[in-house]
Amino acid sequence: MSFFILLSTLLSACSSQPEINPQEFAGQVSDSFRTDIKSNGLKLFTYRAILTIETPQSEPLPHEVRSNQKKRSRTKQRYQGPDLSGWTAQVEHGLQQTIKMNGYCRDGYIELYRSIQADRGTIRGECNDGADEADLAKFDS
């Protein structure tokens, strides 16, 4: 019996999203949410988040990164990029909170594009619901 409890705990830990600490990025993120309602009622959006803290000078410059990658390729070591799981979770959380606050996608959305980098993230999507008169009055620019 305890084997099944341990197994279920391990499986749920592996399948869950990274834990988000709201204070981790407090005051360090600038985000924007742009809407685009088409004439046929299709509702699109673009969410962007930018990390506003400055990059420490100890970070390698792009040419140093490339040089290190070449050295690793000669020694058969695989390049391990930075762990972006916490930042990715923060960008996703920011998008969810923004949509919840403004009510743009009432029935959820389909993600069309995603780009997550060390200091910025962009998610574009299409709402599952079409625009109504209230949406046009509130969001159409």
Side-chain angles (χ1 to χ4, degrees):
M1 178 72 168
S2 63
F3 172 74
F4 291 112
I5 294 171
L6 177 64
L7 183 61
S8 67
T9 303
L10 288 174
L11 288 175
S12 67
C14 292
S15 65
S16 64
Q17 293 287 335
E19 196 68 29
I20 297 175
N21 178 0
Q23 297 304 317
E24 184 179 352
F25 293 97
Q28 300 176 9
V29 177
S30 172
D31 64 352
S32 65
F33 186 79
R34 290 186 32 204
T35 62
D36 182 15
I37 299 177
K38 302 296 183 185
S39 60
N40 62 358
L42 181 70
K43 296 186 337 186
L44 303 169
F45 66 84
T46 302
Y47 177 78
R48 287 191 173 96
I50 298 174
L51 204 53
T52 58
I53 60 171
E54 292 186 25
T55 306
Q57 293 301 320
S58 63
E59 293 287 320
L61 297 172
H63 70 279
E64 294 171 324
V65 171
R66 285 192 301 275
S67 175
N68 290 338
Q69 287 172 343
K70 287 179 185 177
K71 288 176 189 174
R72 274 191 294 279
S73 69
R74 285 188 289 241
T75 62
K76 308 266 186 211
Q77 290 179 347
R78 185 149 193 228
Y79 172 67
Q80 297 292 324
D83 180 13
L84 298 177
S85 60
W87 174 237
T88 300
Q90 181 64 35
V91 172
E92 291 169 348
H93 179 72
L95 173 59
Q96 296 302 324
Q97 291 302 107
T98 299
I99 288 176
K100 184 189 291 184
M101 288 180 353
N102 67 20
Y104 188 64
C105 296
R106 293 180 298 276
D107 297 331
Y109 64 90
I110 298 168
E111 188 174 302
L112 303 175
Y113 171 82
R114 171 186 293 224
S115 173
I116 305 291
Q117 299 171 6
D119 64 342
R120 64 190 67 235
T122 301
I123 299 176
R124 292 188 188 128
E126 175 184 329
C127 297
N128 291 334
D129 55 299
D132 59 17
E133 292 299 321
D135 289 329
L136 292 172
K138 184 175 181 181
F139 297 108
D140 195 26
S141 49

